[in-house]
Amino acid sequence: MAESEATPESVYMNRRDFIKGTSLATLATTASLYGCGIGPTPEPNAPVEWSAIEEKSYPAKRNASYTLDRKLTKEDAAASFNNFFEFSELKSDPRFHAQTLAIRPWTVEVTGLVNKPRTFDPDDFFKLMPVEERLYRFRCVEAWAMAVPWTGFPLKALLDMVEPQSSATHIAMTTFYKPFTAQGQLAFWRPWPYTEALTIEEAENELTFIALGMYGHPLRKQHGAPVRLVVPWKYGFKSIKSIVKIELLDHQPMTFWNTVLPLEYSFEANVDPTVNHPRWSQAKEKMLGTGTIHKTLPFNGYEKQVAHLYI
Ligand SMILES: Nc1nc2c(c(=O)[nH]1)N[C@H]1C(S)=C(S)[C@@H](COP(=O)(O)O)O[C@H]1N2
Ligand SMILES: [Mo]
């Protein structure tokens, strides 16, 4: 299918905002901060920053249980087409502007309904968690897809360490809030910081992965360095980038896209070829880099591991 059939979230939002007539000035300010030369445009793909423990930990051993039905996406294709609204509404931009994000020091606070709340440094994860490499398919709600090697660990291992209380039903995750670095966050009509959430059962599923790296090295900043979520059976917007907080709750929280456009971006957001997005079909998907078209699979091909969660 043509990429143009899948109107990105951003185009629609802009149109809506224009119609409402509330945000022209802010759009212009944001565009000019980035576009009209307050500071130079950063170089794309700044060298990956390695900590000492990362130097020792890559390449991580690949877990052979997760295999692909298609070729891996070329790293450069994945790194040049990104949704990261904190930095830009254009997919070609995060590879430049995300490079300004400082990723050390960085902390991830794990809190809420847990017996052992704890704050982690990304390096702690290499010491405490079973870090491995997994090949996963990834499907954006906009009908593009990729197949990539992630390095990280199952979220369940982290939850086991902090001990969720029996009242916890959901897990919420939050991205950083730095509007002077990530100037997309100056768009005041959006519910920053970006948040996402899962049920506890989804969070504890074997597939739910916290990624620290990709393609055998630490994450590039446009992919959500230093720590992001990967939920391969759900549309890509669930896979929140650059996480600073994980909170266990006893209710379903608000999330970013579900708040902005609830009729288009459901909370559950499981990949389903039979349920079309209101503005385009979800029956097929186009691979980044090659443009190859594949049929979209129920649960993005992970039916065996997750279908039981939804019966
Ligand atoms: N914080 C944050 N996380 C985010 C997004 C975002 O804009 N901000 N975009 C989401 C969407 S829509 C997709 S498709 C994936 C894209 O991940 P990638 O750029 O690594 O391919 O990140 C998701 N995580
Ligand atoms: Mo997406």
Side-chain angles (χ1 to χ4, degrees):
M1 72 179 273
E3 186 60 31
S4 58
E5 284 171 46
T7 312
E9 291 105 323
S10 57
V11 173
Y12 183 68
M13 279 308 292
N14 287 350
R15 203 184 297 139
R16 227 168 72 127
D17 289 333
F18 276 89
I19 291 164
K20 283 200 305 197
T22 55
S23 42
L24 266 174
T26 312
L27 267 182
T29 311
T30 311
S32 67
L33 280 170
Y34 269 150
C36 299
I38 297 185
T41 299
E43 289 293 312
N45 294 334
V48 169
E49 296 167 24
W50 294 82
S51 70
I53 191 153
E54 285 171 334
E55 302 257 15
K56 282 190 283 177
S57 307
Y58 285 91
K61 194 172 165 4
R62 183 174 291 177
N63 183 332
S65 342
Y66 302 98
T67 54
L68 294 173
D69 60 348
R70 58 196 71 175
K71 284 205 187 97
L72 279 181
T73 298
K74 287 236 161 63
E75 176 169 3
D76 191 47
S80 313
F81 192 85
N82 305 96
N83 276 329
F84 205 163
F85 278 66
E86 284 83 344
F87 292 100
S88 177
E89 307 201 348
L90 300 177
K91 294 172 211 310
S92 52
D93 263 8
R95 75 182 138 154
F96 298 100
H97 287 112
Q99 309 309 325
T100 57
L101 180 69
I103 57 166
R104 308 271 167 181
W106 191 277
T107 53
V108 182
E109 185 192 0
V110 187
T111 178
L113 300 171
V114 294
N115 293 332
K116 298 182 173 166
R118 180 161 174 179
T119 296
F120 298 86
D121 172 277
D123 281 353
D124 293 337
F125 294 136
F126 288 95
K127 296 174 208 150
L128 300 169
M129 295 290 130
V131 174
E132 61 183 28
E133 185 178 72
R134 293 188 184 185
L135 311 183
Y136 274 172
R137 287 181 296 274
F138 184 98
R139 171 63 154 79
C140 174
V141 71
E142 296 161 346
W144 57 266
M146 59 184 183
V148 300
W150 301 103
T151 301
F153 58 90
L155 176 57
K156 181 164 191 312
L158 181 60
L159 294 178
D160 287 347
M161 181 163 282
V162 297
E163 297 179 10
Q165 294 169 2
S166 56
S167 55
T169 59
H170 288 77
I171 169 168
M173 282 160 264
T174 308
T175 297
F176 65 83
Y177 182 63
K178 292 184 178 178
F180 296 105
T181 303
Q183 289 168 18
Q185 292 182 329
L186 293 174
F188 62 78
W189 60 93
R190 295 230 163 109
W192 306 111
Y194 198 103
T195 49
E196 257 309 334
L198 300 168
T199 66
I200 284 281
E201 293 74 27
E202 291 172 333
E204 290 183 341
N205 185 271
E206 56 157 308
L207 290 175
T208 307
F209 204 61
I210 296 287
L212 307 165
M214 204 177 177
Y215 295 99
H217 56 69
L219 287 172
R220 290 191 185 282
K221 293 181 181 179
Q222 62 265 46
H223 287 298
V227 182
R228 74 172 291 172
L229 181 69
V230 184
V231 198
W233 75 96
K234 291 179 181 283
Y235 291 121
F237 66 88
K238 299 294 287 184
S239 292
I240 182 173
K241 296 177 169 180
S242 306
I243 297 169
V244 296
K245 190 164 97 174
I246 299 180
E247 191 172 8
L248 284 278
L249 302 169
D250 62 4
H251 59 274
Q252 179 182 308
M254 311 267 284
T255 54
F256 187 85
W257 283 114
N258 188 238
T259 302
V260 170
L261 284 171
L263 299 179
E264 306 206 359
Y265 307 112
S266 71
F267 179 83
E268 194 169 85
N270 291 331
V271 175
D272 186 343
T274 67
V275 177
N276 289 336
H277 185 277
R279 291 176 286 122
W280 59 84
S281 164
Q282 292 292 24
K284 291 181 181 165
E285 62 203 30
K286 185 171 161 184
M287 298 303 291
L288 292 187
T290 59
T292 315
I293 308 287
H294 290 266
K295 273 195 183 154
T296 297
L297 300 171
F299 299 106
N300 200 26
Y302 297 101
E303 199 165 7
K304 212 173 67 197
Q305 292 95 329
V306 300
H308 69 272
L309 294 172
Y310 306 101
I311 294 165

Coordinates of all heavy atoms in Angstrom, one line a residue, residues 235-291:
Y235 N 0.5 -2.2 18.5 CA 1.0 -1.2 17.7 C 2.1 -0.4 18.3 O 2.2 -0.3 19.6 CB -0.2 -0.3 17.3 CG -1.1 -1.0 16.3 CD1 -2.5 -1.1 16.7 CD2 -0.7 -1.5 15.1 CE1 -3.4 -1.8 15.8 CE2 -1.6 -2.1 14.3 CZ -2.9 -2.3 14.6 OH -3.7 -2.9 13.7
G236 N 3.0 0.1 17.5 CA 4.3 0.7 18.0 C 4.1 1.8 19.0 O 5.0 2.0 19.8
F237 N 3.0 2.5 19.0 CA 2.9 3.7 20.0 C 2.9 3.2 21.4 O 3.2 3.9 22.3 CB 1.7 4.6 19.7 CG 0.3 4.0 19.9 CD1 -0.3 4.0 21.1 CD2 -0.3 3.4 18.8 CE1 -1.6 3.5 21.2 CE2 -1.6 2.9 18.9 CZ -2.3 2.9 20.2
K238 N 2.6 1.9 21.7 CA 2.7 1.3 23.0 C 4.1 1.2 23.5 O 4.4 1.2 24.7 CB 2.0 0.0 23.1 CG 0.5 -0.1 22.8 CD -0.4 0.6 23.7 CE -0.5 0.0 25.1 NZ -1.5 0.8 25.9
S239 N 5.1 1.1 22.6 CA 6.5 0.9 22.9 C 7.2 2.2 23.2 O 7.9 2.8 22.5 CB 7.2 0.2 21.7 OG 6.7 -1.2 21.6
I240 N 6.9 2.7 24.4 CA 7.4 4.0 24.9 C 8.9 4.1 25.0 O 9.5 3.2 25.4 CB 6.6 4.3 26.2 CG1 7.0 5.7 26.7 CG2 6.9 3.3 27.3 CD1 6.2 6.1 28.0
K241 N 9.4 5.3 24.6 CA 10.8 5.5 24.5 C 11.3 6.3 25.8 O 10.6 7.0 26.4 CB 11.2 6.3 23.3 CG 10.9 5.6 22.0 CD 11.1 6.5 20.8 CE 11.1 5.7 19.5 NZ 11.3 6.5 18.3
S242 N 12.6 6.2 26.0 CA 13.4 7.0 27.0 C 12.6 7.1 28.3 O 12.2 8.2 28.7 CB 13.6 8.4 26.4 OG 14.3 8.3 25.2
I243 N 12.4 6.0 28.9 CA 11.6 5.8 30.2 C 12.3 6.4 31.4 O 13.5 6.1 31.6 CB 11.2 4.4 30.4 CG1 10.4 3.8 29.2 CG2 10.5 4.2 31.7 CD1 10.2 2.3 29.2
V244 N 11.6 7.2 32.2 CA 12.2 7.6 33.5 C 11.4 7.1 34.7 O 11.9 7.1 35.8 CB 12.2 9.2 33.6 CG1 13.2 9.7 32.5 CG2 10.9 9.8 33.5
K245 N 10.2 6.6 34.4 CA 9.4 6.1 35.6 C 8.5 4.9 35.2 O 7.9 5.0 34.1 CB 8.5 7.3 36.1 CG 7.8 6.9 37.5 CD 7.3 8.1 38.2 CE 5.8 8.3 37.9 NZ 5.2 9.4 38.6
I246 N 8.4 4.0 36.1 CA 7.5 2.8 35.9 C 6.7 2.7 37.2 O 7.3 2.7 38.3 CB 8.4 1.5 35.7 CG1 9.2 1.6 34.4 CG2 7.4 0.3 35.7 CD1 10.0 0.4 34.1
E247 N 5.4 2.8 37.1 CA 4.6 2.9 38.3 C 3.5 1.8 38.3 O 2.8 1.6 37.3 CB 3.9 4.2 38.4 CG 3.3 4.5 39.7 CD 2.8 6.0 39.9 OE1 2.9 6.7 38.9 OE2 2.4 6.3 41.0
L248 N 3.4 1.0 39.4 CA 2.3 0.0 39.5 C 1.1 0.6 40.1 O 1.2 1.3 41.1 CB 2.8 -1.1 40.4 CG 3.8 -2.2 39.8 CD1 3.1 -3.2 38.9 CD2 5.0 -1.5 39.0
L249 N -0.1 0.4 39.5 CA -1.3 1.1 39.8 C -2.4 0.1 40.0 O -2.4 -1.1 39.6 CB -1.7 2.0 38.7 CG -0.7 3.1 38.3 CD1 -1.2 3.8 37.0 CD2 -0.6 4.1 39.4
D250 N -3.5 0.5 40.7 CA -4.7 -0.3 40.8 C -5.8 0.1 39.9 O -7.0 -0.2 40.1 CB -5.2 -0.4 42.3 CG -5.6 1.0 42.8 OD1 -5.6 2.0 41.9 OD2 -5.9 1.1 44.0
H251 N -5.5 0.8 38.8 CA -6.5 1.2 37.8 C -5.8 1.5 36.5 O -4.6 1.6 36.4 CB -7.2 2.5 38.3 CG -6.2 3.7 38.5 ND1 -5.5 3.8 39.6 CD2 -5.8 4.6 37.6 CE1 -4.7 4.9 39.5 NE2 -4.8 5.4 38.3
Q252 N -6.6 1.5 35.4 CA -6.1 1.8 34.1 C -5.8 3.3 34.0 O -6.8 4.1 34.1 CB -7.1 1.4 33.0 CG -6.6 1.7 31.6 CD -7.6 1.3 30.5 OE1 -8.0 0.2 30.5 NE2 -7.9 2.2 29.7
P253 N -4.6 3.7 33.8 CA -4.3 5.2 33.7 C -4.6 5.8 32.4 O -4.8 5.1 31.4 CB -2.8 5.2 34.0 CG -2.3 4.0 33.4 CD -3.4 2.9 33.6
M254 N -4.5 7.1 32.3 CA -4.6 7.8 31.0 C -3.2 7.5 30.3 O -2.2 7.4 30.9 CB -4.6 9.3 31.2 CG -5.7 9.8 32.2 SD -7.2 10.2 31.3 CE -6.7 11.8 30.6
T255 N -3.3 7.5 29.0 CA -2.1 7.3 28.2 C -2.1 8.4 27.1 O -3.1 8.9 26.7 CB -1.9 5.9 27.6 OG1 -3.1 5.6 26.9 CG2 -1.8 4.9 28.7
F256 N -0.9 8.6 26.5 CA -0.7 9.8 25.6 C -1.7 9.7 24.4 O -2.6 10.5 24.2 CB 0.7 9.8 25.1 CG 1.1 11.0 24.3 CD1 1.4 12.2 24.9 CD2 1.1 11.0 22.9 CE1 1.8 13.3 24.1 CE2 1.5 12.1 22.1 CZ 1.8 13.3 22.8
W257 N -1.5 8.7 23.5 CA -2.3 8.7 22.2 C -3.8 8.4 22.5 O -4.7 8.9 21.8 CB -1.7 7.7 21.2 CG -0.5 8.3 20.5 CD1 0.8 7.9 20.6 CD2 -0.5 9.5 19.7 NE1 1.6 8.7 19.9 CE2 0.8 9.7 19.3 CE3 -1.5 10.4 19.2 CZ2 1.2 10.8 18.5 CZ3 -1.1 11.5 18.4 CH2 0.2 11.6 18.1
N258 N -4.0 7.6 23.5 CA -5.4 7.3 23.9 C -6.1 8.5 24.4 O -7.4 8.6 24.3 CB -5.4 6.1 24.9 CG -6.8 5.6 25.1 OD1 -7.3 5.6 26.3 ND2 -7.5 5.2 24.1
T259 N -5.4 9.5 25.0 CA -6.0 10.7 25.4 C -6.2 11.7 24.2 O -7.2 12.3 24.1 CB -5.1 11.4 26.5 OG1 -4.9 10.5 27.5 CG2 -5.7 12.7 27.0
V260 N -5.2 11.7 23.3 CA -5.2 12.7 22.2 C -6.4 12.3 21.2 O -7.2 13.1 20.8 CB -3.9 12.7 21.5 CG1 -3.9 13.5 20.2 CG2 -2.8 13.3 22.4
L261 N -6.4 11.0 20.9 CA -7.4 10.5 19.8 C -7.9 9.1 20.3 O -7.5 8.1 19.6 CB -6.7 10.4 18.5 CG -6.4 11.7 17.7 CD1 -5.5 11.4 16.5 CD2 -7.7 12.3 17.3
P262 N -8.8 9.1 21.2 CA -9.2 7.8 21.8 C -9.9 6.9 20.7 O -9.8 5.7 20.8 CB -10.2 8.1 22.9 CG -10.5 9.6 22.7 CD -9.4 10.2 22.0
L263 N -10.6 7.5 19.7 CA -11.3 6.7 18.8 C -10.3 6.0 17.8 O -10.6 5.1 17.1 CB -12.3 7.5 18.0 CG -13.4 8.1 19.0 CD1 -14.4 8.9 18.2 CD2 -14.1 6.9 19.7
E264 N -9.1 6.6 17.7 CA -8.1 6.0 16.7 C -7.1 5.2 17.4 O -6.5 4.3 16.7 CB -7.4 7.2 16.0 CG -8.5 8.1 15.3 CD -7.9 8.8 14.1 OE1 -6.8 8.7 13.8 OE2 -8.7 9.6 13.6
Y265 N -6.8 5.4 18.6 CA -5.7 4.8 19.3 C -6.2 4.2 20.6 O -6.2 4.9 21.6 CB -4.5 5.7 19.5 CG -4.1 6.3 18.2 CD1 -4.3 7.7 17.9 CD2 -3.6 5.5 17.2 CE1 -4.0 8.2 16.7 CE2 -3.3 6.0 15.9 CZ -3.5 7.4 15.7 OH -3.2 7.9 14.5
S266 N -6.6 2.9 20.6 CA -7.3 2.3 21.7 C -6.2 2.0 22.8 O -5.0 2.0 22.5 CB -7.9 1.0 21.3 OG -7.0 0.0 21.0
F267 N -6.7 1.8 24.0 CA -5.7 1.5 25.1 C -5.1 0.2 24.8 O -3.9 0.0 24.9 CB -6.5 1.4 26.4 CG -5.5 1.1 27.6 CD1 -4.7 2.0 28.2 CD2 -5.4 -0.3 28.0 CE1 -3.9 1.7 29.2 CE2 -4.6 -0.6 29.0 CZ -3.8 0.3 29.6
E268 N -5.9 -0.8 24.3 CA -5.3 -2.2 24.1 C -4.4 -2.2 23.0 O -3.3 -2.8 23.1 CB -6.5 -3.1 24.0 CG -6.1 -4.6 24.1 CD -7.3 -5.5 24.2 OE1 -7.8 -5.9 23.1 OE2 -7.7 -5.8 25.3
A269 N -4.8 -1.7 21.8 CA -3.9 -1.5 20.6 C -3.2 -2.8 20.2 O -2.1 -2.7 19.7 CB -2.9 -0.4 20.9
N270 N -3.9 -3.9 20.2 CA -3.3 -5.1 19.7 C -3.4 -5.1 18.2 O -4.3 -4.7 17.6 CB -4.1 -6.4 20.2 CG -3.9 -6.6 21.7 OD1 -2.8 -6.3 22.2 ND2 -4.9 -7.2 22.3
V271 N -2.3 -5.6 17.5 CA -2.2 -5.6 16.1 C -3.3 -6.5 15.6 O -3.4 -7.7 16.0 CB -0.9 -6.0 15.6 CG1 -0.9 -6.2 14.0 CG2 0.2 -5.1 16.0
D272 N -4.2 -6.0 14.7 CA -5.3 -6.8 14.2 C -5.7 -6.4 12.8 O -6.2 -5.3 12.5 CB -6.6 -6.6 15.1 CG -7.7 -7.5 14.8 OD1 -7.7 -8.0 13.7 OD2 -8.7 -7.6 15.6
P273 N -5.4 -7.3 11.8 CA -5.6 -7.0 10.4 C -7.1 -6.8 10.1 O -7.4 -6.2 9.0 CB -5.0 -8.2 9.7 CG -5.0 -9.3 10.7 CD -4.8 -8.7 12.0
T274 N -8.0 -7.2 10.9 CA -9.4 -7.2 10.6 C -10.1 -5.9 11.1 O -11.2 -5.6 10.7 CB -10.2 -8.4 11.1 OG1 -10.2 -8.3 12.6 CG2 -9.6 -9.7 10.7
V275 N -9.4 -5.2 11.9 CA -10.0 -3.9 12.5 C -9.2 -2.7 11.8 O -8.1 -2.5 12.2 CB -9.9 -3.9 14.0 CG1 -10.5 -2.5 14.5 CG2 -10.7 -5.0 14.6
N276 N -9.8 -2.0 10.9 CA -9.2 -0.9 10.3 C -9.1 0.3 11.2 O -9.9 0.5 12.0 CB -9.9 -0.6 9.0 CG -9.7 -1.7 7.9 OD1 -8.7 -2.4 8.0 ND2 -10.6 -1.8 7.0
H277 N -8.0 1.0 11.0 CA -7.9 2.3 11.5 C -9.0 3.2 10.9 O -9.3 2.9 9.7 CB -6.5 2.9 11.2 CG -6.3 4.2 11.9 ND1 -6.7 5.4 11.3 CD2 -5.7 4.6 13.0 CE1 -6.4 6.4 12.1 NE2 -5.7 5.9 13.2
P278 N -9.6 4.1 11.5 CA -10.7 4.9 10.9 C -10.3 5.5 9.6 O -11.2 5.8 8.7 CB -11.1 6.0 11.9 CG -10.6 5.5 13.2 CD -9.4 4.5 12.9
R279 N -9.0 5.7 9.4 CA -8.6 6.4 8.1 C -7.8 5.5 7.2 O -7.3 6.0 6.1 CB -7.8 7.7 8.5 CG -8.8 8.7 9.1 CD -8.0 10.0 9.5 NE -7.2 9.8 10.8 CZ -5.9 10.0 10.8 NH1 -5.3 10.4 9.8 NH2 -5.3 9.7 12.0
W280 N -7.5 4.3 7.5 CA -6.8 3.4 6.6 C -6.9 2.0 7.0 O -7.3 1.7 8.1 CB -5.3 3.8 6.5 CG -4.5 3.7 7.8 CD1 -4.0 2.6 8.3 CD2 -4.2 4.8 8.6 NE1 -3.3 2.9 9.5 CE2 -3.4 4.3 9.7 CE3 -4.4 6.2 8.6 CZ2 -3.0 5.1 10.8 CZ3 -4.0 7.0 9.6 CH2 -3.2 6.4 10.7
S281 N -6.6 1.1 6.0 CA -6.7 -0.4 6.3 C -5.5 -0.8 7.1 O -4.4 -0.3 6.9 CB -6.8 -1.1 4.9 OG -6.5 -2.5 5.1
Q282 N -5.7 -1.8 7.9 CA -4.6 -2.5 8.7 C -4.3 -3.8 8.1 O -3.6 -4.6 8.7 CB -5.0 -2.6 10.2 CG -5.1 -1.2 10.9 CD -3.8 -0.5 11.0 OE1 -2.8 -0.7 10.2 NE2 -3.7 0.4 12.0
A283 N -4.9 -4.2 6.9 CA -4.7 -5.5 6.4 C -3.3 -5.8 6.0 O -2.8 -7.0 6.0 CB -5.6 -5.7 5.2
K284 N -2.5 -4.8 5.6 CA -1.2 -5.0 5.1 C -0.2 -4.1 5.7 O -0.6 -3.1 6.4 CB -1.1 -4.8 3.6 CG -1.9 -5.9 2.9 CD -1.8 -5.8 1.4 CE -2.6 -6.9 0.7 NZ -2.8 -6.6 -0.7
E285 N 1.1 -4.4 5.6 CA 2.1 -3.5 6.1 C 3.3 -3.4 5.2 O 3.5 -4.3 4.4 CB 2.6 -4.0 7.5 CG 3.2 -5.4 7.4 CD 3.2 -6.1 8.8 OE1 2.2 -5.9 9.5 OE2 4.1 -6.9 9.0
K286 N 4.0 -2.3 5.3 CA 5.2 -2.1 4.4 C 6.5 -2.0 5.2 O 6.5 -1.2 6.2 CB 4.9 -0.7 3.7 CG 5.9 -0.4 2.6 CD 5.4 0.8 1.9 CE 6.5 1.6 1.2 NZ 6.0 2.8 0.5
M287 N 7.4 -2.8 4.8 CA 8.7 -2.9 5.6 C 9.6 -1.6 5.3 O 9.7 -1.2 4.1 CB 9.5 -4.1 5.2 CG 8.8 -5.4 5.5 SD 8.3 -5.6 7.2 CE 9.9 -5.8 8.0
L288 N 10.1 -1.1 6.4 CA 11.1 0.0 6.2 C 12.3 -0.5 5.4 O 12.7 -1.6 5.6 CB 11.6 0.5 7.6 CG 10.6 1.2 8.5 CD1 11.3 1.8 9.7 CD2 9.9 2.4 7.8
G289 N 12.8 0.4 4.6 CA 14.0 0.0 3.8 C 13.7 -0.6 2.5 O 14.0 0.0 1.4
T290 N 13.1 -1.8 2.5 CA 12.8 -2.5 1.3 C 11.5 -2.2 0.6 O 11.4 -2.3 -0.6 CB 12.8 -4.1 1.5 OG1 11.7 -4.3 2.5 CG2 14.1 -4.6 2.1
G291 N 10.6 -1.7 1.4 CA 9.2 -1.4 0.9 C 8.4 -2.7 0.6 O 7.3 -2.6 0.1

